[in-house]
Amino acid sequence: MLAMMLSIARGTLGVISVLGYPSEFFYRGTAMWETLYGMMTAYPIVCFVFIPVYFDLGITSVYQYLELRFNSRLVRCLASGTYILRTLLSLGVTIYTPTVALNTIIGVPYWASLLCITCISIFFNALGGMKAAVAADVIQSLSMTAMLVGIVIYCCVKSGGVDQVVAIGAQAGRMNFFNFAADLHLRVTTTSAWLGELFMSLSLLGCQQNFVQRYLSMPTLRKIRQTMLVNIPLVAVLFSLPWLVGMGIFALYYTCDPLKAGNIEKMDQILPYFIMDYFSKVPGVWGLFVGTLFNGALTLNISNINSLATVTWEDFLSLLPGFRKKADSYQLTVIKLVGTIYAILILGVGFLVGLLSGVIESSVLVLSATSGPLLGVFILAMFVPFANWKGAALGMLVSHGVTVWIVTGRMMYVEVYDSLLSTSIEGCVGDAPFLTNSTSYIVVDQMSRIMPMAVQGDSFLYRIYSVSYMYYGVFGTILTVAVGLVFSLATWSSVDAYNTKMLHPAVRWLHERSPFGGKRFGSFDVNKGDKLPPSAKVVVVSNLTVKDSGKS
């Protein structure tokens, strides 16, 4: 149980969080910290809503569940494709993150670090085997936690105590909790942080294979629930650690902002700069810090490249005529080759991440933009008895299309102001180059871009493009479900019959007792002896009897 708790909670203390959250606090305050509310709300929902469906069916693949529910390979491929897209973009942010630290401390160019990580990932992917990577991941997590705790203690002692650290942050306007402004265009408010993270976490924890597989490896449903509910305090602590580090660093630099003074070039360099500034004479600290960040990025990249390649083989390549019925050795070679291609694509994404305003914004944007379609199709599958594959597929496609349109419009036409909080350089001493770099600080970190005249600031399109990216997952989910509902009702036929055991138990109970239950939408329950539609036949998958139309 303890091992599973650490495995599930580890994602809250990744390299993106460790490097991004301290700078987020330093320059924007605690607004993004409140995403913790959404994350903690998601755990019991996943525990009591999503997991019972998977556990009762006895399946090991969430995408296999979609194929069984909708009797459609297309829906399964769309969901797998969404997972692949999300993971590629997320890994691009992940491998970019440690390059910031290495550039800050010893001046290695970003492109060199990205290329190095990619080459090492390709090499280990070719070797195969994840045992060493998993062991290194455990060591990385423990060492990173110990380092963050050490930094918090050091900053508190150096600043005069915990109360002094908190007081400095409050006086400087960093403790901006509980902002319930209704404006959808504000970057982050309490409402958008909670609601946006709730939908992102539901999609991640309840609809993504690597998490679901961990839950289902436990023996009983009760054990799963105990693990997830007890895990909530652990997640809260691990998630808050980088924010406490940000508070401590701000207490030391609140009168001399390294970015405004020109000592660093990007916001995300604040933690590496602190390590370099305060621990330059302590042997091994630089190496331990950079090595831990790189190890975290490498192990995550290598394991996920292997997972991406395997999913690609299972859900796409194995269906092609030229790849069917091949020997295991041939499959392994193809998977390694596909993994190499993915590593190169991730490298390209890593270069693009440098153009955005920090690793936290990049990470949240990726997760929010890809969460809606995936979460929406699972809601249709579990909670909408009359949903069919046509509605589910169209809902995902429309949601993806609209999200891509909004994200593209935001990047091309919206003049982005990050609303950075004020900082001071009054306490800077020595030969800080802030006089020559202050203009660069304003231009780079406000990310002001000349807005094309085609989209005016008060136009309808501009207002759509400038909606906070925290809501992308919410809107994407609603759009997927709405389109799926309408199109399913319009196209339902007897061919769309399915085993009602695929529904959530509570929905199945209500459906059987409602006027629209039973045969109205062609559903059936083979466990009760219901007669199957003429176009259907029964096959046995694991311990579950389901309906199959005869398609491969």
Side-chain angles (χ1 to χ4, degrees):
M1 183 174 173
L2 179 61
M4 191 60 63
M5 286 173 58
L6 292 173
S7 179
I8 296 171
R10 183 195 59 80
T12 61
L13 197 62
V15 291
I16 297 174
S17 304
V18 169
L19 209 62
Y21 287 146
S23 65
E24 181 75 17
F25 178 90
F26 198 107
Y27 295 104
R28 296 191 179 106
T30 59
M32 193 70 76
W33 194 347
E34 296 186 289
T35 56
L36 179 62
Y37 309 152
M39 192 181 305
M40 296 177 70
T41 308
Y43 268 85
I45 294 176
V46 172
C47 182
F48 292 101
V49 175
F50 287 84
I51 300 304
V53 178
Y54 304 138
F55 194 85
D56 289 345
L57 293 176
I59 60 174
T60 56
S61 169
V62 290
Y63 309 122
Q64 178 197 18
Y65 163 73
L66 291 177
E67 183 179 9
L68 295 173
R69 165 62 178 86
F70 293 113
N71 191 33
S72 171
R73 192 79 185 192
L74 174 62
V75 176
R76 176 175 180 171
C77 289
L78 285 173
S80 298
T82 302
Y83 161 72
I84 291 172
L85 175 64
R86 168 195 281 176
T87 307
L88 283 176
L89 296 176
S90 297
L91 288 177
V93 182
T94 299
I95 68 167
Y96 171 80
T97 303
T99 68
V100 176
L102 203 59
N103 177 266
T104 305
I105 292 178
I106 57 178
V108 176
Y110 294 103
W111 66 265
S113 298
L114 288 171
L115 191 61
C116 179
I117 291 177
T118 302
C119 291
I120 295 174
S121 299
I122 292 174
F123 175 73
F124 275 97
N125 180 67
L127 288 180
M130 291 292 108
K131 186 174 181 178
V134 171
D137 196 30
V138 173
I139 297 173
Q140 179 264 338
S141 300
L142 295 175
S143 61
M144 184 64 74
T145 302
M147 179 174 291
L148 292 178
V149 172
I151 292 174
V152 171
I153 295 174
Y154 178 87
C155 290
C156 290
V157 173
K158 198 79 174 176
S159 302
V162 177
D163 55 342
Q164 186 68 12
V165 170
V166 175
I168 292 174
Q171 291 172 5
R174 262 58 186 178
M175 303 297 186
N176 46 357
F177 291 102
F178 307 121
N179 174 18
F180 293 99
D183 189 355
L184 299 181
H185 301 86
L186 294 178
R187 179 177 178 266
V188 185
T189 63
T190 302
T191 305
S192 65
W194 172 75
L195 199 59
E197 183 61 37
L198 173 61
F199 278 72
M200 284 187 278
S201 294
L202 287 176
S203 178
L204 196 68
L205 299 173
C207 309
Q208 190 159 300
Q209 175 63 24
N210 55 340
F211 282 99
V212 174
Q213 193 167 354
R214 291 169 182 168
Y215 312 145
L216 299 182
S217 66
M218 305 193 77
T220 64
L221 186 59
R222 181 182 179 185
K223 202 74 173 176
I224 297 174
R225 287 175 174 169
Q226 288 178 346
T227 301
M228 295 193 69
L229 294 179
V230 175
N231 209 39
I232 295 176
L234 177 63
V235 168
V237 171
L238 293 180
F239 181 82
S240 298
L241 264 180
W243 289 99
L244 298 177
V245 169
M247 292 175 63
I249 293 176
F250 182 80
L252 298 178
Y253 288 118
Y254 74 100
T255 59
C256 183
D257 173 17
L259 180 63
K260 199 171 185 178
N263 296 324
I264 58 177
E265 297 177 353
K266 298 188 176 187
M267 295 186 302
D268 293 322
Q269 293 177 324
I270 188 70
L271 178 58
Y273 177 78
F274 163 78
I275 296 293
M276 182 177 64
D277 190 21
Y278 279 88
F279 297 98
S280 59
K281 297 181 181 180
V282 182
V285 174
W286 289 9
L288 180 63
F289 176 74
V290 176
T292 303
L293 285 179
F294 263 85
N295 180 60
L298 277 170
T299 53
L300 191 64
N301 198 40
I302 294 168
S303 60
N304 277 279
I305 283 174
N306 184 271
S307 299
L308 286 172
T310 304
V311 169
T312 302
W313 171 265
E314 291 292 337
D315 289 344
F316 297 97
L317 296 181
S318 63
L319 303 178
L320 300 177
F323 291 99
R324 292 177 181 173
K325 298 181 180 180
K326 294 293 184 179
D328 289 347
S329 58
Y330 180 88
Q331 295 180 23
L332 184 60
T333 301
V334 173
I335 288 174
K336 290 180 178 180
L337 178 61
V338 173
T340 301
I341 296 173
Y342 279 139
I344 296 173
L345 291 175
I346 293 167
L347 172 65
V349 175
F351 281 112
L352 295 176
V353 170
L355 303 177
L356 297 177
S357 179
V359 295
I360 291 300
E361 177 160 329
S362 306
S363 177
V364 174
L365 179 61
V366 166
L367 288 177
S368 185
T370 56
S371 292
L374 197 59
L375 178 58
V377 75
F378 275 89
I379 290 176
L380 286 172
M382 294 181 184
F383 305 105
V384 183
F386 54 84
N388 61 16
W389 72 269
K390 291 158 281 190
L394 185 65
M396 292 190 72
L397 291 173
V398 170
S399 181
H400 273 302
V402 171
T403 303
V404 170
W405 166 57
I406 294 176
V407 171
T408 304
R410 176 185 177 86
M411 292 183 173
M412 292 180 61
Y413 300 117
V414 175
E415 194 173 356
V416 178
Y417 295 103
D418 283 338
S419 302
L420 300 184
L421 300 177
S422 61
T423 55
S424 172
I425 53 175
E426 294 178 357
C428 293
V429 294
D431 299 325
F434 64 88
L435 292 177
T436 59
N437 287 321
S438 58
T439 302
S440 173
Y441 162 76
I442 296 173
V443 173
V444 172
D445 282 85
Q446 295 293 340
M447 287 190 68
S448 299
R449 297 191 292 270
I450 298 177
M451 185 175 61
M453 295 303 293
V455 181
Q456 300 296 331
D458 57 349
S459 68
F460 176 71
L461 282 179
Y462 182 85
R463 293 191 62 80
I464 292 179
Y465 294 153
S466 58
V467 169
S468 171
Y469 52 78
M470 296 297 296
Y471 289 110
Y472 289 172
V474 181
F475 296 153
T477 302
I478 295 173
L479 191 59
T480 303
V481 174
V483 173
L485 282 172
V486 173
F487 203 69
S488 293
L489 282 172
T491 61
W492 179 269
S493 68
S494 61
V495 181
D496 297 319
Y498 64 95
N499 188 352
T500 54
K501 190 169 183 175
M502 300 293 171
L503 297 172
H504 187 275
V507 175
R508 185 167 67 245
W509 185 88
L510 290 172
H511 177 59
E512 292 171 351
R513 289 158 178 78
S514 71
F516 302 99
K519 303 298 182 291
R520 183 174 294 266
F521 290 109
S523 59
F524 63 93
D525 189 341
V526 294
N527 298 321
K528 292 185 177 182
D530 289 348
K531 186 178 179 181
L532 277 66
S535 59
K537 68 178 183 180
V538 173
V539 295
V540 175
V541 178
S542 183
N543 62 344
L544 168 68
T545 308
V546 299
K547 164 256 178 187
D548 188 282
S549 65
K551 300 177 183 178
S552 60

